[in-house]
Amino acid sequence: MFKCDSPWRNLLHIELSRYTLNGRVADLGGSIKSEYTRFLNGDHAIEIVNMDENTNPDFSFDLEKPLALESGAYDGVLCINTLEHIFDYKNLLSEINRILKNDGTLILAVPFLVQIHPSPNDYFRFSKQSLEKSLLENGFKNIIIKSVGKGPFTAAAQIKFNVLHFNFLRVVSRWIAQLLDSFIDEIVHLFSKKNNYNSDFYPVGYLVIAKNNS
C-alpha cells in the first residue's frame, strides 16, 4: 500500500539529508522499517535498540532504564521521534552521552505538532529552549537546534494531516502542504513586517545535532 508521509516527516527527511554520520551508530527507538536512516549520508553501521521485538532490534531493552551498552562505544546516536515517549528523558540523554565516543554526534528529532501517539506512552512536547537546556545539563556541546517547518500555514497542514485516515486524503494534504501552504508562508514572510511568522514560532518539530562533552 502506498504510504504518504506527514509534513513533519517529509520536512524532517529533507533536513536529515543534509547531515552525515560515519562509523558505529546506535538507533534508539528505531526499527528495521524506519525510513529516516536512508536519508542520512555517510558510511555507517546502524544498530537498532528497541524494547519491541517486532522492530527486529539488535538490542532489546527499556530506554527508561540505564542502557546496557558499553561506554564510549558509538560514533553516533540516532534518537528520532523517541524522546517524547521517555518519561525520564534526562536520564536517557545522560546515557546517550555516556555511550558516545569523545566528540561523538547525537542526531535527535522530536515532533511538536503531532497528535497524542502512545508507543506505548506519549509524555512530552519540547520547545527549542527546553531541548537546549536539557542537552547542556547532560554534557552536550556544539548544539544546533533546527526548527523544522515554514510558518503557520505549514503548521496548520500538519494538524490537518493528523486527522486524515485515508491515504488519498493524506496525499492531497501533503501536496497542499508542499505547494499551497508553503507558498502562502513564503508570501507572508515576504510582505510581513513582523518576524514571528516563521518556523521558529510555528515549528512542526525540531532536529538537533549535538556533540558529547566527555
Side-chain angles (χ1 to χ4, degrees):
M1 178 181 287
F2 179 79
K3 181 176 180 291
C4 180
D5 289 324
S6 67
W8 157 238
R9 288 185 182 272
N10 185 51
L11 290 168
L12 173 61
H13 293 164
I14 292 171
E15 292 296 331
L16 286 172
S17 69
R18 300 188 171 105
Y19 294 93
T20 298
L21 270 185
N22 293 310
R24 188 181 181 190
V25 176
D27 184 7
L28 305 184
S31 167
I32 193 67
K33 297 180 180 179
S34 295
E35 297 181 345
Y36 52 79
T37 55
R38 67 185 177 91
F39 292 91
L40 282 169
N41 301 299
D43 182 13
H44 45 255
I46 293 178
E47 300 172 13
I48 298 168
V49 181
N50 199 310
M51 65 184 295
D52 183 356
E53 294 288 353
N54 292 325
T55 63
N56 195 23
D58 297 284
F59 301 99
S60 180
F61 44 78
D62 190 349
L63 297 180
E64 292 276 7
K65 300 176 181 179
L67 303 179
L69 298 171
E70 182 184 353
S71 298
Y74 290 90
D75 301 283
V77 169
L78 294 172
C79 188
I80 308 295
N81 296 318
T82 297
L83 202 66
E84 69 271 19
H85 301 291
I86 307 300
F87 187 75
D88 194 1
Y89 68 91
K90 290 186 178 181
N91 176 70
L92 180 58
L93 292 176
S94 177
E95 283 291 282
I96 291 172
N97 186 291
R98 179 185 64 80
I99 68 173
L100 278 170
K101 293 180 180 179
N102 186 36
D103 211 35
T105 301
L106 166 64
I107 297 183
L108 180 150
V110 289
F112 189 74
L113 288 179
V114 172
Q115 78 281 7
I116 295 297
H117 54 295
S119 184
N121 300 296
D122 188 0
Y123 294 112
F124 300 106
R125 295 295 179 268
F126 298 91
S127 68
K128 179 182 287 188
Q129 290 83 2
S130 66
L131 287 167
E132 182 177 29
K133 186 170 184 178
S134 296
L135 287 161
L136 287 171
E137 287 179 347
N138 287 281
F140 287 90
K141 62 180 181 180
N142 299 336
I143 300 167
I144 299 171
I145 303 178
K146 169 72 174 179
S147 299
V148 179
K150 294 197 177 275
F153 290 91
T154 302
Q158 173 64 38
I159 294 172
K160 288 183 289 185
F161 184 94
N162 291 339
V163 301
L164 302 176
H165 300 287
F166 300 99
N167 275 338
F168 171 75
L169 294 177
R170 287 188 162 184
V171 170
V172 173
S173 176
R174 175 176 172 177
W175 280 106
I176 290 174
Q178 287 182 322
L179 298 177
L180 180 58
D181 293 320
S182 179
F183 175 74
I184 294 174
D185 278 331
E186 294 294 337
I187 295 298
V188 170
H189 295 166
L190 184 63
F191 290 100
S192 176
K193 295 181 180 180
K194 299 181 180 180
N195 63 356
N196 59 348
Y197 292 111
N198 55 33
S199 60
D200 285 332
F201 287 86
Y202 294 92
V204 295
Y206 295 99
L207 175 66
V208 179
I209 311 296
K211 296 285 188 178
N212 81 327
N213 197 18
S214 301

